């Protein structure tokens, strides 16, 4: 992978997963730690059928939070079982922490994440769909690793994979979306992944930019990236629609990529201002009329704000 992607993966992922120094039960009732690192061998469809952790759990330098002393293999297994059967999947993070006594250091978390990232890269490059991964634009690499982090590197998204074979970045942006039902925590990752593949397409368009460097700045919040002026407004995405509306003076009350009531109100205000048919019931970027999207593009262009595509 490009060095820029390696350097950015932790600061990109930590805000999405958290940085947790203890074992906790995730929303799928799987024991995890670090930056969304699984320690659990269970199939989430058969909760509790295999109360044995993944071997990785014993490679981490666990210590007692009170004594700071290293812990035994038996202590680690007991902590795992305590968390596994705690029924805390939907509890607050403080409640999850309260039932634990073992910790790992931030340095251990960093090593764990980087080790897993390297393993994922080797696996993904070995898949026919992604065999050219090392030559992909940096933003697309980060987007793929982000998907693999959430789904595992063996994920099956047929339309996404077909687009990857063609290096069709915009189709990949659309088809990278993971199921959000029952797992709203994946929404911010979906928004960022769609943006990453879109930025890859923009950067790769002739004349191409430096494909080894990220366009997306992992050190900035999502809304700060959208307001940075570092790339055109991506009108294929809800986050781009929000950015366009805000830029043109129609406040969507935040740039988060979620097409909610405030975005809908800003959109209908723009449509009214431009004497376009108003669409108060749309809930997705794909439902916005073509005439509205063309008007947004024209207004951005007239005010000196580039857009893509």
């Amino acid at each position: 992978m490009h060095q820029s992607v390696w350097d950015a993966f932790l600061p990109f992922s930590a805000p999405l997963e958290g940085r947790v120094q203890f074992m906790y039960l995730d929303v799928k009732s799987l024991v995890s730690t670090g930056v969304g690192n699984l320690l659990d061998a269970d199939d989430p469809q058969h909760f509790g059928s295999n109360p044995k952790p993944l071997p990785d759990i014993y490679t981490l330098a666990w210590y007692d939070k009170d004594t700071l002393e290293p812990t035994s293999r038996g202590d680690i297994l007991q902590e795992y079982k305590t968390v596994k059967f705690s029924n805390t999947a939907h509890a607050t993070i403080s409640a999850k922490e309260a039932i634990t006594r073992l910790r790992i250091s931030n340095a251990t978390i960093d090593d764990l994440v980087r080790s897993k990232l390297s393993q994922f890269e080797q696996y993904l490059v070995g898949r026919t769909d992604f065999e050219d991964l090392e030559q992909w634009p940096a933003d697309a690499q980060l987007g793929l690793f982000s998907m693999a982090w959430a789904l595992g590197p063996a994920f099956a998204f047929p339309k996404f994979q077909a687009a990857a074979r063609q290096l069709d970045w915009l189709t990949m942006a659309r088809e990278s979306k993971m199921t959000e039902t029952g797992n709203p925590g994946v929404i911010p990752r979906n928004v960022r992944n769609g943006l990453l593949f879109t930025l890859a397409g923009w950067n790769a368009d002739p004349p191409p930019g430096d494909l080894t460097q990220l366009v997306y700045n992992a050190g900035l919040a999502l809304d700060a990236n959208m307001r940075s002026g570092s790339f055109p407004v991506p009108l294929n995405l809800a986050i781009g629609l929000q950015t366009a509306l805000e830029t043109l003076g129609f406040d969507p009350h935040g740039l988060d990529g979620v097409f909610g009531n405030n975005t809908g109100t800003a959109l209908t205000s723009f449509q009214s201002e431009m004497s376009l048919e108003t669409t108060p019931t749309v809930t997705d970027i794909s439902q916005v009329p073509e005439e509205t999207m063309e008007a947004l593009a024209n207004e951005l262009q007239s005010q000196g704000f580039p857009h893509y595509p």
Side-chain angles (χ1 to χ4, degrees), residues 84-157:
K84 179 66 179 175
F85 301 107
S86 64
N87 197 31
T88 56
H90 300 288
T92 64
I93 193 67
S94 59
K96 295 180 182 187
E97 182 178 12
I99 64 170
T100 65
R101 67 181 183 87
L102 303 188
R103 301 289 183 269
I104 53 176
S105 68
N106 278 317
T108 296
I109 291 174
D110 290 350
D111 290 343
L112 174 60
V113 170
R114 289 170 179 146
S115 174
K116 286 295 182 183
L117 181 58
S118 293
Q119 292 173 32
F120 282 11
E121 179 183 22
Q122 292 174 17
Y123 188 94
L124 289 165
V125 170
R127 295 182 60 175
T128 303
D129 300 320
F130 311 128
E131 60 187 1
D132 296 326
L133 174 60
E134 300 301 329
Q135 284 73 52
W136 283 15
D139 292 88
Q141 287 188 355
L142 183 56
L144 184 66
F145 292 134
S146 174
M147 290 179 68
W149 203 255
L151 297 165
F155 70 86
F157 275 35

Side-chain angles (χ1 to χ4, degrees), residues 2 4 136-140 169-170 195-216 230-232 308:
H2 301 306
S4 62
W136 283 15
D139 292 88
W169 311 115
L170 291 181
L195 178 59
L196 286 169
F197 290 115
T198 299
L199 293 178
W202 171 69
N203 203 23
D205 266 1
D210 184 350
L211 301 186
T212 69
Q213 298 301 312
L214 285 165
V215 178
Y216 188 87
S230 299
F231 48 85
Y308 178 83

Side-chain angles (χ1 to χ4, degrees), residues 11-93:
F12 173 82
S13 299
L16 298 174
E17 297 282 355
R19 175 184 276 270
V20 182
Q21 294 177 279
F22 48 89
M23 299 183 209
Y24 67 93
L25 210 58
D26 72 8
V27 294
K28 296 180 179 179
S29 292
L30 297 174
V31 181
S32 303
T33 195
V35 183
N37 298 97
L38 284 179
L39 301 173
D40 197 334
D42 254 5
D43 178 347
Q45 300 302 314
H46 302 91
F47 169 64
S49 63
N50 179 16
K52 294 182 180 179
L54 293 171
D56 287 354
I57 197 171
Y58 299 114
T59 68
L60 304 178
W62 296 100
Y63 63 89
D64 187 291
K65 68 180 178 63
D66 296 320
T67 68
L68 305 184
E69 293 295 323
T71 56
S72 68
R73 188 181 181 95
D75 289 336
I76 295 169
L77 180 59
Q78 184 56 54
E79 182 98 324
Y80 172 87
K81 290 181 177 179
T82 296
V83 172
K84 179 66 179 175
F85 301 107
S86 64
N87 197 31
T88 56
H90 300 288
T92 64
I93 193 67

Side-chain angles (χ1 to χ4, degrees), residues 247-293:
T247 300
L248 297 173
F250 301 89
D251 189 4
H253 297 279
L255 306 180
D256 59 4
V258 178
F259 202 122
N261 291 334
N262 290 327
T263 300
T265 298
L267 177 63
T268 55
S269 295
F270 171 78
Q271 290 169 326
S272 295
E273 181 76 17
M274 300 298 294
S275 300
L276 297 166
E277 177 189 359
T278 58
T279 56
T281 61
V282 301
T283 58
D284 187 84
I285 182 72
S286 64
Q287 300 169 357
V288 179
E290 184 178 347
E291 293 82 0
T292 296
M293 298 308 297

Side-chain angles (χ1 to χ4, degrees), residues 216-234:
Y216 188 87
N217 185 342
L220 295 178
L222 175 65
D223 57 353
N225 265 283
M226 300 310 298
R227 297 180 180 116
S228 68
S230 299
F231 48 85
V233 178

